[in-house]
Amino acid sequence: MRYRNAPAAIEWLCNVLGFAKHAVYSGSDGTVQHAELTLGGGMIMLGSVRDNESARYMKQPDEIGGMETRSEYLVVPNADEVYERVKKAGAEIILEIRDQSYGGRDFTCRDPEGRVWSVGTYDPWKAK
């Protein structure tokens, strides 16, 4: 995942969605070469947008009409707490918080650069 302002995105992801910094490798120009953020037993990796060989295969949401080509679902112990932090941070709520018929409670929002995040309590490892 790439962000134009990766340092700000990392702070937002940690402070609002509840990720923790596992590792952040910064470039000399203030960009993020590589970052690893954890949440529960999972991890995402991200960095700054850059002009390199793989960049030709990537677009930011604002370059494709705010759309996404992937879906992220974060399993959290309390979706209502995260929902309140997201609202307080001024993020766009795409799907309001709700109970699901299959179990769990979730909502969907956009981060400051337009990436879509679904957050909920449904844990497929525990549901079986």
Side-chain angles (χ1 to χ4, degrees), residues 29-114:
D29 58 356
T31 61
V32 173
Q33 298 300 310
H34 177 78
E36 301 165 356
L37 305 181
T38 60
L39 181 67
M43 179 183 290
I44 63 168
M45 294 183 281
L46 63 97
S48 295
V49 170
R50 51 184 171 252
D51 186 17
N52 63 13
E53 187 176 21
S54 65
R56 68 176 161 224
Y57 301 105
M58 297 180 193
K59 296 285 185 198
Q60 297 303 100
D62 65 351
E63 296 175 299
I64 54 174
M67 303 311 255
E68 276 284 15
T69 59
R70 53 102 182 125
S71 175
E72 303 295 337
Y73 185 92
L74 305 178
V75 178
V76 298
N78 188 325
D80 290 280
E81 285 180 7
V82 180
Y83 177 79
E84 289 304 319
R85 287 197 309 264
V86 166
K87 283 187 71 159
K88 186 177 180 181
E92 176 187 0
I93 303 295
I94 296 172
L95 299 173
E96 286 293 331
I97 195 160
R98 63 188 180 239
D99 294 319
Q100 296 293 351
S101 61
Y102 52 81
R105 185 165 171 76
D106 62 32
F107 69 95
T108 303
C109 66
R110 288 188 189 275
D111 69 23
E113 290 198 22

Side-chain angles (χ1 to χ4, degrees), residues 4-48:
R4 286 191 180 89
N5 187 342
I10 291 167
E11 293 306 313
W12 193 90
L13 291 167
C14 291
N15 294 331
V16 178
L17 292 185
F19 281 93
K21 295 175 193 174
H22 179 73
V24 178
Y25 303 99
S26 299
S28 59
D29 58 356
T31 61
V32 173
Q33 298 300 310
H34 177 78
E36 301 165 356
L37 305 181
T38 60
L39 181 67
M43 179 183 290
I44 63 168
M45 294 183 281
L46 63 97
S48 295

